[in-house]
Amino acid sequence: MAVESITIRQPDDWHVHLRDGEMLKQVAAYTARQFGRAIIMPNLPTPVTTVALAAAYQNRILEATQDHPDFKPLMTAYLTDTIDPQELVTGHDIGVFTAAKLYPANATTNSTFGVSDIKKIYPVLEAMQRIGMPLLVHGEVVSSEIDIFDREAVFIEQVMQPLLNDMPELKVVFEHITTKDAADFVESQGDNMAATITAHHLQINRNDMLVGGIKPHLYCLPVAKRELHRMALRKAATSGSNKFFLGTDTAPHAIGDKESACGCAGIFSAPHALEVYTQVFEEEMALDQLEAFAALNGPAFYDLPVNQGKVSLVKSNQQVPMTIGQNAMAVSPYRAGETLIWQLV
Ligand code: DOR
Ligand code: ZN
């Protein structure tokens, strides 16, 4: 008999872009109404590189999520070539920085201040390894010689594996993995390595983005790959392995910035993230693994307690709105206009 409802421990979202200003006010509640905590990515136009910037940003997020007072934004530092290791250590000690994010320079939205060569930040990474502070990695090599569909696989070989050889105790989250190569690599590593998987990479492959007309709202980075990779991600997420956990990479951009001659990368999946993940787990006949992926594996990796609350979803059709927000701030949610079969209660 088909399952009609499911209740799990309240989940967390281990990869979120909440933006700032008016966009923050518009999108934050979608994350806060579902998730107990969220890892807040630091790629603002002025990147979050100091404890003071992170603390101020955290306050703006708390203000934007006042209606969900139990929601906890977990802040991250944006690594640059010149960031001071002491700033990270201090921020981690006083509980402002949960982790630090590595953007290879120019890999994605607001990454121009990212790291140009990982060797330049080895003193920072050594300090993080010493204090057990997780490194969150956007795993793509950006070079004119490397095909965009190969960037993640090349990153494993050229950057991730050498890094782990040099710093075998460093805690690393391979963010938003998109390839079988990454899923296999993560599974082969020790307890210090884990990965987040987005809802959209479990559902779409590159054909969904390109066949029958280009779909700018399905363009994100790392870009969706071919079907065999999507299948491998679904297998990893639902396998019961504690190395994979939920991270939506929800990344709102105004519609005009997506539907453009040079469209921005990012999928705004926050509004129905849990419903989409639940559908995927049901399709894979793995609803019994949803709680571990969404609510247990992440806290275990981050050494945090699990949430005390519960959330329920029921089998009930709902239509995703075409847009959320007005005018210049309007965004197109993931699966806009489509019908979802699960509904968060
Ligand atoms: O698609 C993406 N959008 N990937 C990223 O890595 C960044 C994000 C954003 O901030 O827009
Ligand atoms: Zn991201």
Side-chain angles (χ1 to χ4, degrees):
M1 210 180 74
V3 179
E4 294 300 321
S5 71
I6 179 170
T7 297
I8 59 170
R9 200 173 273 281
Q10 185 175 34
D12 303 297
D13 187 343
W14 299 98
H15 191 133
V16 170
H17 299 269
L18 284 185
R19 313 303 192 204
D20 211 345
E22 290 307 306
M23 188 63 94
L24 166 65
K25 290 180 193 154
Q26 172 168 289
V27 302
Y30 292 106
T31 294
R33 80 184 177 98
Q34 299 167 71
F35 298 105
R37 292 162 291 201
I39 283 280
I40 309 300
M41 289 298 164
N43 62 332
L44 299 181
T46 301
V48 180
T49 50
T50 65
V51 179
L53 285 169
Y57 185 31
Q58 187 173 40
N59 282 332
R60 296 196 294 281
I61 294 168
L62 289 170
E63 205 171 298
T65 54
Q66 277 175 29
D67 293 344
H68 305 275
D70 294 335
F71 174 70
K72 245 182 116 175
L74 305 176
M75 308 311 289
T76 60
Y78 181 118
L79 298 175
T80 65
D81 283 352
T82 55
I83 196 164
D84 177 5
Q86 194 51 48
E87 188 74 13
L88 289 191
V89 172
T90 303
H92 189 256
D93 279 353
I94 63 174
V96 174
F97 287 141
T98 297
K101 179 73 186 276
L102 170 66
Y103 288 105
N106 304 313
T108 186
T109 308
N110 296 331
S111 63
T112 47
F113 303 103
V115 173
S116 64
D117 175 358
I118 194 158
K119 289 259 151 78
K120 289 193 178 160
I121 60 161
Y122 261 34
V124 176
L125 301 178
E126 275 154 8
M128 290 174 64
Q129 173 173 245
R130 200 175 60 243
I131 63 175
M133 181 177 185
L135 175 72
L136 316 184
V137 178
H138 183 112
E140 291 193 286
V141 169
V142 182
S143 142
S144 55
E145 273 105 74
I146 299 170
D147 189 277
I148 188 169
F149 293 102
D150 298 334
R151 284 177 175 186
E152 186 173 280
V154 172
F155 187 90
I156 296 169
E157 187 191 306
Q158 292 188 356
V159 184
M160 192 71 101
Q161 182 68 71
L163 171 65
L164 291 169
N165 292 346
D166 291 342
M167 284 178 233
E169 306 288 313
L170 183 64
K171 288 181 84 157
V172 180
V173 182
F174 201 151
E175 296 293 338
H176 44 50
I177 59 169
T178 61
T179 56
K180 178 173 191 305
D181 312 61
D184 290 347
F185 179 77
V186 170
E187 193 55 50
S188 75
Q189 297 299 303
D191 286 346
N192 60 315
M193 160 130 258
T196 54
I197 305 181
T198 75
H200 50 273
H201 287 113
L202 294 171
Q203 284 199 324
I204 62 169
N205 63 28
R206 60 194 197 179
N207 285 12
D208 294 300
M209 178 181 63
L210 294 171
V211 173
I214 193 162
K215 316 290 187 316
H217 296 290
L218 297 184
Y219 174 61
C220 63
L221 289 169
V223 72
K225 308 295 192 296
R226 50 168 78 236
E227 178 66 358
L228 77 89
H229 297 293
R230 187 183 74 99
M231 300 305 285
L233 298 177
R234 286 170 78 101
K235 188 154 169 254
T238 59
S239 65
S241 163
N242 63 3
K243 299 171 83 54
F244 301 100
F245 43 85
L246 187 159
T248 61
D249 198 18
T250 179
H253 290 276
I255 288 175
D257 295 333
K258 295 284 296 169
E259 298 174 6
S260 154
C262 185
C264 292
I267 294 180
F268 178 47
S269 60
H272 301 95
L274 266 185
E275 285 102 327
V276 171
Y277 280 113
T278 303
Q279 181 175 338
V280 169
F281 275 68
E282 184 183 36
E283 287 163 359
E284 295 293 319
M285 290 183 285
L287 278 177
D288 58 333
Q289 299 297 342
L290 180 64
E291 182 173 56
F293 177 79
L296 307 181
N297 297 347
F301 183 84
Y302 277 89
D303 283 321
L304 292 169
V306 296
N307 293 320
Q308 286 309 306
K310 305 256 177 194
V311 299
S312 295
L313 296 107
V314 293
K315 231 350 155 20
S316 169
N317 284 352
Q318 61 167 323
Q319 213 187 349
V320 179
M322 286 306 292
T323 59
I324 284 176
Q326 305 284 320
N327 305 325
M329 210 59 67
V331 287
S332 172
Y334 179 55
R335 310 281 312 266
E338 294 179 44
T339 302
L340 301 180
I341 56 175
W342 285 93
Q343 185 149 28
L344 185 64
V345 179

